Amino acid sequence: MSSPFLGSRKSRRKALKLFFTYVALATLVIVLLFPVLWILSISLKTRLQVISTPPLLIWTPTLDNYREVLSKGAFIPGLWNSLLVAGGSVLLSLGIGVPAAYSMARLRYAGKETIYYILLLMRMLPPIAVLIPMYMLFDALGIRNTRASVALAYTKIGR
């Protein structure tokens, strides 16, 4: 017999199932975020605090590591290069991929099925199979060892 204060058996079962779902999701989030939080905590410690045994759970955070990386190293030029290459690769991929996908989805033309098979074959090739031809092409074009060649390679090989 159900009480008006406790709700029906079906609603209690549903609430219990929802509760355990949220507990499982919260546990999963904690497990997945733990390494990120651990790395963040290490970045806010001094070298001595990082190697201390047992690991320090309470410490005074410091931003010295960030100051050192940003002032001394080649971090900023490396970040700039990465942003240029990634941005160029994304723009090139979108510039080629969006019109190609639209034409393949909406238009009818001869050889459409053949193009599908060629694209599938290209996806099945291991990236190393196109390394030498790509190197020779970049060398012939005079763009070897440039950001443009890396962006082009990422556009072709990007998975």
Side-chain angles (χ1 to χ4, degrees):
M1 184 147 111
S2 66
S3 166
F5 299 109
L6 296 177
S8 70
R9 183 177 283 184
K10 200 175 199 180
S11 67
R12 282 188 302 227
R13 195 176 306 138
K14 191 174 182 180
L16 195 59
K17 183 178 178 184
L18 190 63
F19 171 75
F20 283 119
T21 301
Y22 281 126
V23 168
L25 286 174
T27 304
L28 183 65
V29 166
I30 290 169
V31 168
L32 292 176
L33 285 182
F34 179 75
V36 175
L37 295 175
W38 188 261
I39 290 171
L40 180 65
S41 74
I42 288 175
S43 74
L44 296 171
K45 293 179 182 178
T46 64
R47 285 191 175 114
L48 289 176
Q49 290 171 337
V50 169
I51 61 172
S52 69
T53 307
L56 295 175
L57 298 177
I58 299 172
W59 75 98
T60 305
T62 179
L63 295 175
D64 291 340
N65 296 328
Y66 290 100
R67 278 191 217 105
E68 185 177 342
V69 165
L70 292 174
S71 65
K72 292 182 182 175
F75 178 75
I76 298 296
L79 178 65
W80 179 245
N81 284 337
S82 296
L83 290 174
L84 284 175
V85 168
S89 179
V90 166
L91 290 176
L92 189 59
S93 295
L94 287 174
I96 294 169
V98 169
Y102 179 82
S103 72
M104 295 183 96
R106 297 290 182 175
L107 305 177
R108 293 181 186 199
Y109 49 88
K112 184 175 175 180
E113 205 169 297
T114 306
I115 292 174
Y116 281 135
Y117 287 122
I118 289 171
L119 288 173
L120 181 62
L121 178 68
M122 287 173 50
R123 295 292 295 172
M124 290 169 45
L125 279 175
I128 196 73
V130 294
L131 184 65
I132 293 174
M134 205 180 310
Y135 176 83
M136 292 170 61
L137 176 67
F138 292 161
D139 193 38
L141 292 174
I143 60 170
R144 187 183 56 163
N145 294 333
T146 64
R147 291 185 200 113
S149 65
V150 177
L152 284 168
Y154 283 170
T155 300
K156 175 4 193 145
I157 296 174
R159 302 260 172 199

